[in-house]
Amino acid sequence: MRKYFKHYLIYYLLLFNSSEAFSQIKYIRVLWSVKPESEATISWFTKENSKKNEVLISTSKKNILIKKNISTIKTNYSRKLSNGSFFVHHVNLENLKPNQNYYFKIKSSSSVSKIYYFRTAPKDKQKGFSLLFGGDSRSNRETRQEMNRLVKKKFTENSDILALVHGGDFIYDGRKWSEWKMWLEDYSKTYTDDFRVLPLMVTRGNHEKDKKLFNEIFNWPGRGNVYYTTEIGNFSLLTLNTEISIAGNQREWLQNELERLSVSHKWILTNYHRPAWPAVKSPGLALQQWVPLFEKYKVNLVFESDGHVLKKTVPIKANKINLKEGIIYLGEGGLGVKQRIPTKKDAWYLQSPGYAESFHHLYVLSVLAEKLSVDVILKDGSVYDKFFIFPKQRI
Ligand SMILES: [Fe+2]
């Protein structure tokens, strides 16, 4: 009897140490914004107000297991959600090495997570990498989960994929923690079976509503209006915010950033929620305020969301098709929400080689030394379209 008791005790101790079933640590994520070569935020939630919240991190998984050469970093932000029962925790990491796997374990009071990892972005301009793009994961949970399984498949198959850029409208009502919880639960299903976390770069959509929960969940409190430039080697991505004034400060910032990046970076891409060149709705104010700047500074590619269709415009310059110098606009949100019928299918900017269709989709953008490669992947995993973008002369 004593022998059996001993076995059960060992079993329970092992289970307690190796599983998060008993842990109060929930919805672990890695967030990227400006410098993914050297910075990242590790975030999670707890049901209770845990006193001691920290991350144990190392470039080797073994070091964490044997507790050698690891850094312990305390949270920069641990607070109860303004509209929800959980507590959110963020640890900001700095001075990371580029193109490096980082293994980490989270501790909140007596709860301990499994060991997860992520890879920082490369600094070497010759090193290729890929990003996933998609928006509007929103209302239809079953399809969202199906799309997340596709994200996991792509992330598992292609280890060059570093992060997912989400174009906004994560859920239907951004004021509801109950919806965010489901979204967070579903997002954690994109991680690989060996616990590699897919870092997130976020964009604000109209369904994020009063933005309070969005800011708390994605580590934006006190960090401004959610428009920012992500730089990876000679690649840059400007995430813009269509939910605040598109002119004024944001436009001025955009112009200054484009001026700077046009001399320092080979690739300039932009990403925002409401389309300038829509396949369903009316054009957003971005058409007047931002598109002339994109054209002036020769942006290479633009991602839009919000319309709930699969769209690729013809290359556009000065309101006309321009196959040599025009900009292609991709969109418009197919990570879960029911797809609409593209009512503007006959518009001049959606004719061949452009298109507008009612398909759920995910973009795989590969940044190679001499070109960008874009794969348009449908829900069933098939490749609907593949095309390349070449550098532009900017003098
Ligand atoms: Fe939207």
Side-chain angles (χ1 to χ4, degrees):
M1 188 65 193
R2 271 184 70 179
K3 194 176 143 199
Y4 283 121
F5 177 73
K6 204 173 145 192
H7 280 152
Y8 274 120
L9 187 67
I10 291 168
Y11 171 76
Y12 276 112
L13 281 173
L14 276 173
L15 193 67
F16 187 77
N17 271 327
S18 63
S19 161
E20 283 167 20
F22 300 108
S23 170
Q24 63 155 330
I25 296 166
K26 302 279 180 204
Y27 319 131
I28 292 164
R29 285 149 303 130
V30 171
L31 306 173
W32 279 6
S33 56
V34 178
K35 289 185 205 162
E37 295 166 3
S38 60
E39 295 177 359
T41 297
I42 295 175
S43 304
W44 70 97
F45 294 84
T46 52
K47 275 187 192 165
E48 312 290 333
N49 187 9
S50 50
K51 292 233 162 55
K52 204 174 167 193
N53 302 291
E54 57 193 24
V55 167
L56 278 56
I57 188 160
S58 174
T59 52
S60 143
K61 186 177 182 179
K62 194 176 150 210
N63 284 349
I64 295 189
L65 290 167
I66 60 171
K67 297 180 181 165
K68 252 189 162 182
N69 295 326
I70 51 175
S71 305
T72 303
I73 307 171
K74 292 196 176 2
T75 47
N76 305 81
Y77 184 102
S78 276
R79 234 174 267 179
K80 191 170 186 286
L81 292 170
S82 58
N83 186 17
S85 54
F86 279 54
F87 290 77
V88 61
H89 310 278
H90 300 298
V91 167
N92 296 334
L93 305 171
E94 291 173 343
N95 302 315
L96 302 171
K97 293 176 194 162
N99 194 34
Q100 173 72 54
N101 283 350
Y102 278 92
Y103 295 83
F104 65 93
K105 192 160 139 172
I106 293 165
K107 279 187 174 179
S108 262
S109 291
S110 59
S111 294
V112 181
S113 76
K114 288 184 283 234
I115 298 173
Y116 291 85
Y117 74 104
F118 70 98
R119 190 182 310 153
T120 53
K123 199 171 185 169
D124 176 2
K125 290 177 182 168
Q126 295 304 310
K127 170 96 180 87
F129 65 90
S130 302
L131 297 171
L132 298 176
F133 275 82
D136 296 83
S137 43
R138 250 185 60 177
S139 320
N140 186 343
R141 192 173 187 195
E142 236 171 75
T143 316
R144 180 169 79 206
Q145 289 172 331
E146 218 176 314
M147 291 306 290
N148 281 354
R149 283 194 287 277
L150 177 65
V151 169
K152 176 181 174 173
K153 188 171 180 285
K154 290 284 149 199
F155 187 39
T156 304
E157 285 171 357
N158 178 358
S159 70
D160 284 345
I161 292 173
L162 296 179
L164 172 89
V165 182
H166 195 298
D169 280 5
F170 291 76
I171 54 175
Y172 180 73
D173 187 342
R175 295 164 298 192
K176 289 188 176 158
W177 171 236
S178 55
E179 289 188 27
W180 278 111
K181 259 199 321 191
M182 285 188 272
W183 185 89
L184 290 158
E185 177 79 48
D186 293 347
Y187 190 73
S188 62
K189 301 285 168 25
T190 63
Y191 304 166
T192 63
D193 291 340
D194 68 344
F195 306 115
R196 183 175 174 195
V197 176
L198 182 63
L200 257 172
M201 287 188 259
V202 298
T203 315
R204 250 183 72 196
N206 51 306
H207 282 264
E208 273 63 76
K209 306 274 181 184
D210 68 7
K211 77 178 192 261
K212 266 192 195 161
L213 280 176
F214 173 92
N215 281 355
E216 288 167 2
I217 290 167
F218 294 125
N219 192 34
W220 275 93
R223 292 178 58 211
N225 276 317
V226 197
Y227 53 83
Y228 57 98
T229 306
T230 308
E231 294 176 51
I232 304 176
N234 58 10
F235 169 88
S236 64
L237 172 69
L238 292 112
T239 295
L240 299 163
N241 187 349
T242 54
E243 307 316 302
I244 57 171
S245 174
I246 278 181
N249 290 348
Q250 187 172 197
R251 189 182 182 279
E252 201 182 318
W253 172 86
L254 173 64
Q255 175 143 24
N256 291 339
E257 281 298 82
L258 288 172
E259 181 94 44
R260 175 178 77 85
L261 297 164
S262 64
V263 284
S264 58
H265 286 61
K266 183 192 276 183
W267 305 112
I268 307 175
L269 282 74
T270 65
N271 160 51
Y272 49 84
H273 190 66
R274 296 184 203 237
W277 298 101
V280 179
K281 299 180 182 178
S282 305
L285 290 172
L287 181 59
Q288 293 145 28
Q289 297 293 333
W290 296 347
V291 167
L293 294 176
F294 297 166
E295 294 182 1
K296 180 177 175 193
Y297 293 100
K298 301 186 178 176
V299 163
N300 299 100
L301 186 64
V302 177
F303 286 91
E304 303 182 319
S305 288
D306 193 46
H308 313 169
V309 287
L310 169 63
K311 160 200 86 180
K312 179 169 93 171
T313 69
V314 298
I316 300 171
K317 190 180 177 190
N319 247 339
K320 285 192 210 90
I321 180 169
N322 184 328
L323 294 173
K324 218 170 154 215
E325 293 176 16
I327 301 170
I328 293 174
Y329 295 72
L330 298 174
E332 298 178 12
L335 284 185
V337 72
K338 190 173 185 295
Q339 296 291 282
R340 293 192 178 104
I341 305 295
T343 48
K344 292 187 185 294
K345 211 177 163 79
D346 294 334
W348 64 267
Y349 53 86
L350 295 172
Q351 302 313 302
S352 179
Y355 46 77
E357 299 291 347
S358 184
F359 297 142
H360 288 96
H361 59 277
L362 171 73
Y363 292 103
V364 184
L365 172 83
S366 296
V367 182
L368 310 167
E370 290 308 321
K371 60 186 175 192
L372 302 179
S373 155
V374 181
D375 285 9
V376 183
I377 314 289
L378 302 187
K379 193 174 67 178
D380 64 3
S382 60
V383 180
Y384 181 77
D385 185 18
K386 183 179 180 74
F387 62 95
F388 301 106
I389 303 277
F390 295 92
K392 286 181 172 172
Q393 204 70 35
R394 295 190 194 102
I395 302 171

